[in-house]
Amino acid sequence: MSVFLGTHQNRFDAKGRVSIPASFRAALRAQAQPDESLVILRPSHLHPCIEAWPSAAFATLAGPVDSLDIFSDDHDDLAASLYADAYPIDADKEGRIILPDVLKRHANLVDEISFMGLGRVFQIWEPEAGAKRREDARARARRMTSRPATSEAAS
């Protein structure tokens, strides 16, 4: 399976388009099925960024919606949070996309953007906010890995 690796910075062109990094485009194309959008974009629930999901990965993310009673509030809430703000996007032949304004506002994107690989998905950040996120994540990861093993984990 192709994964999204690294952090890549780019800027919007005069028409408001931005190029998806070539390695990310290759990973998206490797995962895409005929008649599927290249990527599904949605606002992150946790961070001021845009999540970018290959179509198949998005279908897996949305799978739990189908297990809920279609007439329940839980179903409506989960469906609204996943689907209402999701945007299927295709790139032009140069790999450029246009981000919906609502997503650009959510991530505070103006001129420059940062694509951050997270393995099976990637995120789109305002560069300074993305750098801060990576710094915070590394600090938390160091704390997690430096914790002493509990007696349960040691057994």
Side-chain angles (χ1 to χ4, degrees):
M1 172 186 235
S2 300
V3 296
F4 302 100
L5 302 173
T7 299
H8 310 270
Q9 200 156 320
N10 211 334
R11 51 184 337 127
F12 291 105
D13 68 13
K15 294 183 179 180
R17 301 170 299 193
V18 65
S19 291
I20 297 173
S23 62
F24 286 17
R25 286 194 314 268
L28 286 167
R29 286 189 182 114
Q31 296 178 45
Q33 298 297 316
D35 299 326
E36 283 184 342
S37 295
L38 185 64
V39 65
I40 309 293
L41 301 179
R42 61 181 308 281
S44 169
H45 287 300
L46 301 175
H47 306 288
C49 70
I50 300 167
E51 295 176 352
W53 292 79
S55 292
F58 185 80
T60 300
L61 169 73
V65 173
D66 294 333
S67 68
L68 299 171
D69 176 359
I70 195 166
F71 298 109
S72 70
D73 289 339
D74 289 343
H75 177 276
D76 284 354
D77 291 345
L78 188 54
S81 68
L82 290 176
Y83 298 123
D85 294 322
Y87 296 87
I89 302 290
D90 286 309
D92 66 13
K93 62 184 176 184
E94 282 82 33
R96 298 173 299 200
I97 59 173
I98 295 177
L99 301 176
D101 288 339
V102 67
L103 295 179
K104 286 168 68 174
R105 283 191 301 274
H106 173 78
N108 301 311
L109 302 177
V110 180
D111 294 319
E112 294 189 7
I113 68 173
S114 202
F115 292 85
M116 187 183 334
L118 298 179
R120 65 187 176 126
V121 300
F122 64 93
Q123 294 175 331
I124 302 172
W125 286 82
E126 185 281 322
E128 288 183 24
K132 174 83 169 99
R133 168 69 182 122
R134 289 189 309 278
E135 180 182 311
D136 292 347
R138 283 190 297 270
R140 278 193 300 281
R142 279 192 297 275
R143 286 192 301 273
M144 273 191 325
T145 59
S146 66
R147 291 181 189 152
T150 64
S151 58
E152 263 182 37
S155 330

